[in-house]
Amino acid sequence: MTAFTLTSSAFCRRSLALAAFVMSGCLLAASPAKADLRLCNMTSSRVGIALGYRDAQGWVTEGWWNLTARGCETLLKGQLAGRFYYVYAIDYDRGGEWSGRSFMCTREREFTIRGTEDCLARGFDRSGFFEVDTGEQKSWTIQLTETNRPGGQP
């Protein structure tokens, strides 16, 4: 009878340990997923990134994020509030750009610029951004490749 009691208590300890392990896994799985807007540079060059988006106060452009070759960066933290985001990127090593037809303000140094109108008159550069449609997802990753330079040079 004593051997049965020991086996039974050992079984109970293992069962409790397994239950605790499973519960901790469930708690981790139930935690909210990280939601961000990320950009990955899948090229062999260093690139500079400028981002345009609409927030509660209107249009804003921000830059520069400098990404190493094959590097990723979080551009906006948290759940995405909008569906459309705009990107302008420069290839520092080989030249060229990823650009588009949505014109917004930029400048050579680090910047946060409110509004997209009268860029040149306000002392900024005017750059063409390409549109990214996130489909209203709460998290999105943009990938720059050697061949996806909309409106830009190869």
Side-chain angles (χ1 to χ4, degrees):
M1 199 49 107
T2 305
F4 178 77
T5 305
L6 289 175
T7 304
S8 176
S9 64
F11 176 77
C12 286
R13 281 194 300 272
R14 285 188 191 141
S15 295
L16 287 173
L18 180 60
F21 178 75
V22 169
M23 287 302 291
S24 67
C26 289
L27 290 175
L28 289 175
S31 64
K34 189 172 185 178
D36 298 320
L37 177 66
R38 292 178 46 83
L39 190 138
C40 292
N41 171 20
M42 306 307 288
T43 74
S44 58
S45 299
R46 296 171 301 130
V47 298
I49 307 297
L51 177 68
Y53 58 95
R54 192 166 179 81
D55 67 9
Q57 299 170 25
W59 286 103
V60 63
T61 52
E62 296 184 64
W64 295 96
W65 286 269
N66 296 305
L67 277 71
T68 60
R70 313 240 184 286
C72 294
E73 184 77 33
T74 298
L75 305 183
L76 296 174
K77 294 182 187 302
Q79 289 190 358
L80 302 182
R83 176 175 177 169
F84 297 100
Y85 293 85
Y86 298 84
V87 175
Y88 175 70
I90 299 172
D91 186 323
Y92 291 139
D93 296 330
R94 295 185 357 186
E97 61 188 13
W98 291 261
S99 62
R101 296 182 182 166
S102 298
F103 290 94
M104 299 183 180
C105 304
T106 59
R107 66 183 236 189
E108 287 187 29
R109 296 184 317 269
E110 184 177 327
F111 66 90
T112 299
I113 301 170
R114 290 263 166 212
T116 59
E117 69 290 328
D118 302 321
C119 297
L120 299 174
R122 295 192 296 153
F124 302 121
D125 296 321
R126 183 174 180 256
S127 302
F129 287 61
F130 69 89
E131 184 178 86
V132 176
D133 182 351
T134 65
E136 298 183 4
Q137 297 294 316
K138 298 303 178 196
S139 183
W140 195 263
T141 299
I142 303 161
Q143 292 188 357
L144 292 184
T145 66
E146 306 283 356
T147 59
N148 74 346
R149 297 177 191 221
Q153 305 160 3

